[in-house]
Structures are given as C-alpha cells and as structure tokens.
Amino acid sequence: MAKYLTSGSLESITFNNCSTIQSSTLCKLAITNPQLKRIEIMGNTPVSDSSLATLVDRCGATLEYLSIGNAHQLTDKSVRFIAARCRKIRQICIFNNNTEHVSEDTLTAIITHCPTLQTISLSDSRCLGSTFFNSVVQRINIEMANISRHRATIGSGLQRLCLGGVKRDMIQSRYVRELIDKSASKNDFLEDQEEDEDEDNDDSKSMTTTPADAVVGEVNIQHLSHLMSEATKFKPKQTVIRGSTVWWQRSRILIQPDKI
C-alpha cells in the first residue's frame, strides 16, 4: 500500500484491526506522506517504537490528531518524539498503554512542549503523579489568564482530559481539586441548567455526575474519549470521576470587552 500511494497525497489515514500490517509499511507511509494531519491506528493494529517514532518524526510538523489503540509495545523511546516534534498537535489518544514502559516524565513533556494540545486521553494513567498534574494545572492557569487578557483565543489551550487508572492519592490531591475549580462542572453547569433541562434532562442525568460524586464501576476510556472529540455535539458540563477515571473539561471563559 505505502509503495504504490502517490507521494504527498494523504492528509488523514485510519487503520482499524489491521493485524497483519508491518512496521515497515507504516514507516514508508510516513516517509512518502509527511503532510499527514490525522493518524488513527486502532483495534489490534500493531504499533512498534520504530513505526511511531518515524510517523511522528516525519509528520510532526503538520500532525494535529494522533490516536493509538494498541500501545502496549510503545516505550519512552518513541513517545518522547511527540513532545519533540509535534508543534501543531491538538488531540492525543493513547489506549492499552504500558505504564512500565512510558514514564511520567515523557507524558509531562507532552503537556509542557505541545503548545497547541487541546485534548489528551490515556487509558492507563497509574504512572502519573504530582509532576504531571502540577504541569497541567500550571499550563491551564497561564492559558486561562492569557485568554482573559486577550492574549489568546477562547478556543486555544488545554481543554479536555480523559485519564483512566488514576491513582487514588492523585484523585484526592490538591491538583485535581484545582482542576475541578476551573472545570465546566464548577462554573458552567448552573448557567446552562435551565436552558438544557427541557431538551436533554434525562440524558445529562444518566451520563454525568457532580464533582463530589464517586461512582463505583468501570468506564470505557475509548468511549469517553470519543464523546470528548470535536466532532461530537455532546458537550459535558460536569467533571466525571468514576472509580479511577477522571474526565475533565475546562470552564467556559467569558471575555470582558476592553474599556475605552
């Protein structure tokens, strides 16, 4: 496939359950199509360190969306290229990852060095501690301040987190409490409650919880991530903490007009 594709002809490509695809094919695809903006490798499609490193290294200048559904073979050797190369990345989804192979430092670097990142989803976040969450909080504080001061657009900045397997001490930490203070659940829900209750009252009750709620049970991290994608019409108004899963969305920022 990669051999016969016209060079420079693709902007988006999706692999789903392509179990026989070879790493060399993904590498050739990246080499011949460095302009790719969207890469989805889902299901049981194999992804190795060498193929991800080549994809990100060659396509990093234009890549905006990266989704890996079978990341258990990936290590810091390849994931670190995301922070180093992807200056336009807006959404990152990594499922079935191995926390023994991808470190907190590498994931923190993505938060720190990917300025256009809006959404990050991880199915297993057990490696994440205070270093990661402190970086998230600091970034959000700076971005919200810049938006309020008209130094950035409303749609910019880190807006959504979908993290599975978060350690209990992190869920109960001051970092998550501060995130909740800056979430749609804390600031937007009361404003929108009246206008929404006639339209989707039943759906909102079944799909969301208040920040103080902790619902015991498993959550399908991929399902939550897709609900948070830009294409969906569903806009969650409340932070969800279910078991060890954190689903967070940034509060709406109201801009005051400049004084004359």
Side-chain angles (χ1 to χ4, degrees), residues 38 91 160 225-235:
R38 185 182 186 96
Q91 185 165 338
R160 290 171 291 273
S225 174
H226 287 304
L227 283 177
M228 291 163 59
S229 69
E230 293 179 347
T232 182
K233 295 181 180 179
F234 175 68
K235 300 293 184 182

Side-chain angles (χ1 to χ4, degrees), residues 28-250:
K28 290 177 183 177
L29 182 69
I31 292 170
T32 56
N33 291 275
Q35 75 293 330
L36 278 167
K37 294 182 178 181
R38 185 182 186 96
I39 300 174
E40 293 185 79
I41 307 175
M42 305 305 295
N44 62 359
T45 308
V47 184
S48 66
D49 267 340
S50 62
S51 57
L52 179 62
T54 303
L55 284 167
V56 173
D57 184 47
R58 295 303 183 100
C59 305
T62 58
L63 192 61
E64 298 178 2
Y65 180 98
L66 176 65
S67 185
I68 306 294
N70 188 16
H72 72 278
Q73 294 184 19
L74 300 181
T75 71
D76 283 341
K77 293 180 180 180
S78 62
V79 179
R80 64 183 175 85
F81 276 88
I82 298 175
R85 299 286 191 270
C86 297
R87 295 306 183 206
K88 294 184 177 180
I89 196 78
R90 293 189 293 113
Q91 185 165 338
I92 299 171
C93 302
I94 302 177
F95 307 118
N96 194 27
N97 56 300
N98 189 330
T99 56
E100 295 181 359
H101 296 158
V102 180
S103 67
E104 179 184 18
D105 287 344
T106 295
L107 296 170
T108 302
I110 292 175
I111 295 295
T112 305
H113 298 298
C114 295
T116 59
L117 184 64
Q118 296 178 350
T119 300
I120 183 167
S121 300
L122 297 170
S123 63
D124 193 338
S125 307
R126 285 175 293 175
C127 70
L128 301 182
S130 58
T131 300
F132 176 87
F133 282 97
N134 184 48
S135 295
V136 169
V137 170
Q138 287 185 354
R139 172 174 175 161
I140 291 168
N141 285 340
I142 293 171
E143 290 172 342
M144 292 182 73
N146 286 338
I147 293 171
S148 297
R149 295 167 185 166
H150 300 271
R151 296 175 182 172
T153 60
I154 292 178
S156 65
L158 188 61
Q159 300 174 38
R160 290 171 291 273
L161 301 172
C162 189
L163 306 174
V166 179
K167 292 184 292 187
R168 182 174 295 274
D169 61 330
M170 285 296 101
I171 289 178
Q172 298 173 345
S173 70
R174 66 180 178 88
Y175 306 108
V176 173
R177 289 199 298 271
E178 188 165 350
L179 286 175
I180 290 175
D181 285 340
K182 292 176 170 60
S183 68
S185 63
K186 183 82 172 183
N187 302 286
D188 299 348
F189 178 63
L190 291 179
E191 297 178 8
D192 295 339
Q193 190 174 27
E194 291 184 2
E195 67 184 56
D196 286 352
E197 63 183 3
D198 292 334
E199 297 179 8
D200 56 2
N201 188 50
D202 292 336
D203 290 340
S204 63
K205 287 182 178 179
S206 65
M207 297 183 72
T208 62
T209 61
T210 61
D213 289 337
V215 181
V216 178
E218 296 298 324
V219 173
N220 186 323
I221 195 81
Q222 293 197 35
H223 178 61
L224 289 181
S225 174
H226 287 304
L227 283 177
M228 291 163 59
S229 69
E230 293 179 347
T232 182
K233 295 181 180 179
F234 175 68
K235 300 293 184 182
K237 300 179 181 64
Q238 298 179 319
T239 299
V240 174
I241 299 177
R242 295 180 181 174
S244 60
T245 297
V246 173
W247 181 14
W248 178 87
Q249 179 161 312
R250 191 183 71 190

